[in-house]
Amino acid sequence: MAGKAWRSAVRTQKMYRNLSVTLIPGDGIGPEISMAVMKIFDAAKAPIRWEERNVTAIKGPGNRWLIPPEVKESMDKNKIGLKGPLKTPVAEGHPSLNLLLRKTFDLYANVRPCVSIDGYPTPYTDVDLVTIRENTEGEYSGIEHVIVDGVVQSIKLITEHASQRIAEYAFQYAKQNRRSSVTAVHKANIMRMSDGLFLRKCRQAAEKHRDVKFTEMYLDTVCLNMVQDPTQFDVLVMPNLYGDILSDLCAGLVGGLGVTPSGNIGANGVAIFESVHGTAPDIAGRDAANPTALLLSAVMMLRHVGLQHHAERIQTACFRTVRDKKVLTRDLGGNSTCSEFTEAICQRVQDLD
Amino acid sequence: MMLENINSGYKPVFLILCCIQPPPAKYGGRHTVTLIPGDGIGPELLSHVREVFRFSCVPVDFEVVHVNSALETEDDINNAITAIRRNGVALKGNIETKHTMAPSVKSRNNLLRTSLDLYANVMHCQSLPGVQTRHKNIDIIIIRENTEGEYSSLEHENVPGVVESLKIITRNNSLRIAEYAFKLAREKGRHRVTAVHKANIMKLADGLFLQCCREVAAGYPDITFDSMIVDNTTMQLVSKPQQFDVMVMPNLYGNVVSNVCAGLVGGPGLVPGANYGRDYAVFETATRNTGKSIAGKNIANPTAVLLAFISILFLSVCVFDYFILTLDFMLFVQLHTADLGGQGTTSEVVQSVMKIIQSKGQHTSDI
């Protein structure tokens, strides 16, 4: 008896020891918003220990571009990462760093919860859905050929393995987050074999998770219904391109990329949460950035690792600050600086104790 | 009834380019139009169309061709294609594609479009007075390449569990659709054409499409040309749709954007669509829905199909001036179907339409 109590006490203690997370501040406004998030987490006394790393592509053996070894090491150890916006390389010779990260850690699922923010009104209210997008194949395989002059072929790849993996993840996500339904989005009427395979895998996963409702809907019908009544959707799972389009469409419903969190789930327990907006070089260094997107991504991260209580508090503090409308950054319609907005959230979080 | 209030600002514009003249089948002063009922709500709505226009004594006869989506052979769809070749013009409901069949059984709708080379799918999304929507003052023309791209139906499984689907973009078709878009924009007095693409990822395919659009744009200096990545486009559409004028894009993005826009102006029941080729034109609802879940319940909105048929009248008959006035009938019918938040049935709405036509003093048969 005493042994059991002792074991459970040790476990609780382990949970409250600081969780080490790799932090990649990024470029442009990245460092400022990362600071803001660290401050807020500090105020909320979230048990997170940040390990800051910078990502600059380096050329490895065989002329392949790699992320720096210290980043890989840190991520392999911590498994969990938070990332700010990275500069898109133009004619710099190396591929997109986001793509490099995705390939290095096999980040196969991109998850974007889209929730209407009280106090930041858009024409759409009560949106509460999640898009889960297959992130490794599909239309973004990058396999293109010029067949003859003036005829180009781009290959969309759908594999059984990737489709099964994403479908399985979608149902598990739905279960863990107590969502009631999963909708597979496809165009199997036109792309009979490829989307047909994807759909079959979703159906198979649905069979294994009977407690979650499963529906299928054509991409065009989803788009049509989404802009008329987004409340009818819950969790959506789809291949790469449709996911790209739909996740941005849903972000637009709730206010844009400045307030939308995003998470990338990889194999072997790796997960990188990120803000998906740009680096905003025009406002970098001016204390004008809005840290909401990165903050909400960090909240997603807390939920992912089981720190629901802290996640709830920080999210509530953020939403209440926005709802109050007293201290808001420029893009949210206010006149305050990033630091003032951050301070307001910190105050709020401490008051919630 | 708000019949006097014609000055609503809504100007229905039928997007028929003068350079495309399908030979309308005409005999004894009467035109023949192929009618393909399709599945779902298609048959009931198209029969209402026939009812309205028979009542209005429009000199059009319908050659009805049924396509059975349950059959694996292509005889039915080939008959339909032949009928359209004969008559030049068709009004069509959506034909269901059953996934339970082998992948070799291709979408009948797609077969029809590619066989007749209906390369331009055109849709005009306008905010309608009397229809409650979240966004106002939308007026977007969407031109979608209709024969290639992701809809090439070229798929194979070389290795078990690995499927490849080919997206084909050709210079000829991209130039053709861009040319169509700019010509239409000029003709209709529009100022800006936006090409929608994903050339940052599909560098060769969408890159070629974008390049062709740029080349054509150079020949239309009076029209502003810009481009936008498809995911940003959808985000912009749901926040600020008023910024768009004319949009041109490859097949799949056209599917997404046209459905988003139809949703923005009130739903699939309101917007007609047209598929134009060099020699043939096929009209249908813009979003091509089968509407299986509401079939047979008398609740579908007949507006889109009625407007689609009116497009045919402008194209092949061009005689009915008073039909310009009756376009407004759709707006001032105070009875709305369920999709617009109303209580009316399809039949009731159709009856109201016929009453308005009659009240305009037009020669009609009995209701």
Side-chain angles (χ1 to χ4, degrees):
Chain A
M1 280 289 204
K4 237 192 195 161
W6 175 78
R7 268 196 293 277
S8 121
V10 167
R11 218 174 307 146
T12 321
Q13 203 175 353
K14 245 188 172 153
M15 267 166 57
Y16 283 109
R17 216 192 296 155
N18 282 348
L19 177 74
S20 204
V21 169
T22 308
L23 174 67
I24 301 167
D27 309 305
I29 54 170
E32 301 167 61
I33 54 176
S34 305
M35 278 289 274
V37 168
M38 287 197 281
K39 261 182 96 176
I40 296 168
F41 268 52
D42 206 26
K45 298 204 190 56
I48 303 286
R49 192 177 70 82
W50 304 102
E51 239 181 64
E52 260 191 67
R53 292 285 181 272
N54 270 313
V55 182
T56 337
I58 55 167
K59 248 201 174 143
N63 246 2
R64 281 182 326 145
W65 287 99
L66 304 168
I67 59 169
E70 57 267 20
V71 177
K72 185 155 192 319
E73 217 180 281
S74 174
M75 274 302 304
D76 283 337
K77 178 170 60 83
N78 298 331
K79 301 287 187 196
I80 307 293
L82 182 68
K83 176 176 123 352
L86 289 174
K87 214 164 43 179
T88 330
V90 175
E92 265 171 55
H94 66 78
S96 142
L97 289 160
N98 288 317
L99 186 64
L100 263 181
L101 280 168
R102 208 175 302 142
K103 286 214 147 90
T104 312
F105 299 109
D106 195 16
L107 301 173
Y108 66 89
N110 177 253
V111 184
R112 277 213 214 158
C114 294
V115 181
S116 287
I117 298 178
D118 200 5
Y120 187 45
T122 61
Y124 300 89
T125 51
D126 297 327
V127 179
D128 184 6
L129 52 87
V130 182
T131 57
I132 297 179
R133 158 192 175 188
E134 204 292 321
N135 219 5
T136 62
E137 55 174 30
E139 299 82 349
Y140 293 8
S141 311
I143 313 168
E144 294 186 296
H145 313 107
V146 178
I147 310 291
V148 293
D149 195 26
V151 178
V152 177
Q153 157 187 306
S154 175
I155 298 186
K156 162 176 166 166
L157 206 66
I158 297 281
T159 62
E160 201 171 327
H161 168 67
S163 304
Q164 192 172 315
R165 196 165 58 163
I166 194 70
E168 196 52 47
Y169 179 77
F171 281 93
Q172 275 178 16
Y173 180 92
K175 274 194 157 120
Q176 273 162 15
N177 292 276
R178 283 186 235 122
R179 312 291 302 209
S180 47
S181 74
V182 171
T183 304
V185 181
H186 64 99
K187 270 217 82 64
N189 51 341
I190 300 292
M191 285 173 262
R192 302 290 298 279
M193 284 175 75
S194 43
D195 283 1
L197 172 59
F198 177 81
L199 204 53
R200 266 202 315 279
K201 290 295 148 192
C202 289
R203 284 182 189 147
Q204 282 173 13
E207 285 296 307
K208 285 195 265 175
H209 301 274
R210 297 271 179 117
D211 43 340
V212 179
K213 183 164 156 233
F214 174 68
T215 50
E216 309 166 359
M217 209 184 262
Y218 289 132
L219 172 66
D220 39 6
T221 314
V222 171
C223 289
L224 185 62
N225 292 344
M226 184 70 77
V227 299
Q228 295 184 279
D229 180 21
T231 60
Q232 61 186 281
F233 296 104
D234 193 354
V235 176
L236 299 158
V237 64
M238 58 215 112
N240 216 332
L241 175 68
Y242 313 154
D244 193 4
I245 300 174
L246 266 181
S247 59
D248 276 8
L249 190 146
C250 297
L253 298 177
V254 300
L257 299 179
V259 294
T260 313
S262 172
N264 298 289
I265 311 297
N268 306 319
V270 170
I272 300 183
F273 298 85
E274 60 176 353
S275 57
V276 285
H277 53 69
T279 51
D282 48 332
I283 56 167
R286 298 221 213 126
D287 198 17
N290 176 359
T292 308
L294 191 64
L295 183 64
L296 292 178
S297 305
V299 164
M300 245 184 107
M301 177 193 78
L302 287 172
R303 290 211 168 91
H304 180 81
V305 297
L307 291 166
Q308 317 289 0
H309 174 62
H310 293 280
E312 217 33 66
R313 275 174 57 230
I314 296 174
Q315 184 174 295
T316 309
C318 178
F319 284 2
R320 280 198 192 159
T321 311
V322 176
R323 194 178 61 195
D324 238 15
K325 292 194 207 244
K326 291 206 195 98
V327 188
L328 291 176
T329 48
R330 288 288 294 277
D331 62 313
L332 292 174
N335 280 315
S336 309
T337 60
C338 177
S339 334
E340 286 164 359
F341 183 62
T342 310
E343 190 48 48
I345 301 179
C346 290
Q347 263 306 316
R348 201 60 78 138
V349 125
Q350 279 158 348
D351 292 342
L352 279 175
D353 273 330
Chain B
M1 291 260 194
M2 305 183 303
L3 292 172
E4 287 71 53
N5 190 15
I6 304 287
N7 202 17
S8 60
Y10 166 66
K11 288 181 181 43
V13 175
F14 287 102
L15 303 170
I16 296 138
L17 261 195
C18 296
C19 61
I20 291 174
Q21 291 284 6
K26 193 170 174 177
Y27 183 72
R30 295 185 67 82
H31 299 259
T32 310
V33 170
T34 307
L35 186 82
I36 302 168
D39 299 307
I41 49 174
E44 60 193 83
L45 288 180
L46 293 178
S47 87
H48 283 303
V49 166
R50 295 175 71 179
E51 199 185 323
V52 170
F53 294 98
R54 186 168 39 217
F55 166 78
S56 316
C57 299
V58 171
V60 170
D61 293 318
F62 287 104
E63 182 186 349
V64 182
V65 183
H66 291 280
V67 176
N68 187 348
S69 50
L71 291 180
E72 290 205 8
T73 62
E74 291 181 1
D75 294 336
D76 270 5
I77 193 68
N78 286 334
N79 287 341
I81 292 167
T82 310
I84 300 173
R85 287 207 167 102
R86 190 165 45 237
N87 299 323
V89 174
L91 182 62
K92 173 181 165 298
N94 202 44
I95 305 163
E96 192 190 346
T97 308
K98 293 185 168 28
H99 313 168
T100 45
M101 294 189 166
S104 52
V105 180
K106 309 276 181 223
S107 154
R108 299 297 181 237
N109 305 302
N110 204 21
L111 262 176
L112 197 142
R113 292 190 290 265
T114 49
S115 307
L116 296 169
D117 197 25
L118 301 171
Y119 66 90
N121 176 250
V122 184
M123 176 183 161
H124 187 192
C125 278
Q126 274 183 294
S127 294
L128 303 181
V131 177
Q132 286 297 332
T133 51
R134 290 181 179 87
H135 305 274
K136 311 273 176 253
N137 302 319
I138 299 175
D139 188 354
I140 308 173
I141 298 176
I142 296 160
I143 296 155
R144 162 187 176 186
E145 205 293 325
N146 217 10
T147 57
E148 57 175 26
E150 299 81 352
Y151 286 47
S152 307
S153 301
L154 296 164
E155 296 182 297
H156 46 258
E157 190 172 357
N158 285 337
V159 173
V162 177
V163 177
E164 287 184 358
S165 177
L166 304 183
K167 163 177 167 167
I168 309 288
I169 298 281
T170 62
R171 192 173 157 72
N172 283 349
N173 288 345
S174 304
L175 284 173
R176 191 167 62 163
I177 196 70
E179 192 61 49
Y180 185 98
F182 278 89
K183 252 202 185 116
L184 188 68
R186 183 176 268 173
E187 195 161 302
K188 301 301 167 188
R190 312 291 284 221
H191 307 291
R192 193 166 134 239
V193 173
T194 306
V196 178
H197 66 95
K198 192 82 192 162
N200 52 336
I201 303 285
M202 284 179 259
K203 297 181 161 67
L204 292 185
D206 285 0
L208 175 60
F209 179 81
L210 202 54
Q211 174 59 28
C212 292
C213 290
R214 286 198 185 109
E215 280 175 29
V216 172
Y220 291 82
D222 49 323
I223 297 176
T224 313
F225 171 69
D226 59 7
S227 62
M228 197 182 274
I229 297 181
V230 61
D231 36 343
N232 188 24
T233 307
T234 52
M235 199 159 31
Q236 296 294 325
L237 278 169
V238 297
S239 41
K240 253 191 317 166
Q242 299 81 4
Q243 64 181 290
F244 295 104
D245 192 356
V246 176
M247 300 167 85
V248 63
M249 60 207 85
N251 219 330
L252 183 69
Y253 312 148
N255 186 218
V256 170
V257 169
S258 55
N259 275 268
V260 169
C261 291
L264 292 175
V265 299
L270 291 176
V271 193
N275 302 283
Y276 294 108
R278 201 195 57 175
D279 303 316
Y280 312 107
V282 173
F283 296 82
E284 52 181 351
T285 63
T287 50
R288 303 172 177 168
N289 304 98
T290 336
K292 264 196 313 196
S293 56
I294 55 171
K297 295 187 184 161
N298 201 16
I299 53 174
N301 191 338
T303 310
V305 286
L306 285 168
L307 289 175
F309 186 61
I310 292 174
S311 309
I312 296 184
L313 296 181
F314 273 90
L315 184 65
S316 56
V317 179
C318 299
V319 175
F320 297 84
D321 296 321
Y322 45 80
F323 266 103
I324 298 173
L325 283 177
T326 55
L327 298 174
D328 293 322
F329 68 53
M330 302 309 319
L331 321 173
F332 301 121
V333 170
Q334 289 182 326
L335 197 58
H336 282 171
T337 40
D339 59 319
L340 299 178
Q343 307 279 348
T345 61
T346 316
S347 331
E348 284 168 1
V349 172
V350 168
Q351 290 288 317
S352 313
V353 165
M354 294 200 291
K355 285 205 179 81
I356 299 176
I357 295 175
Q358 192 168 54
S359 71
K360 296 280 194 178
Q362 193 172 320
H363 170 59
T364 56
S365 55
D366 302 318
I367 288 188

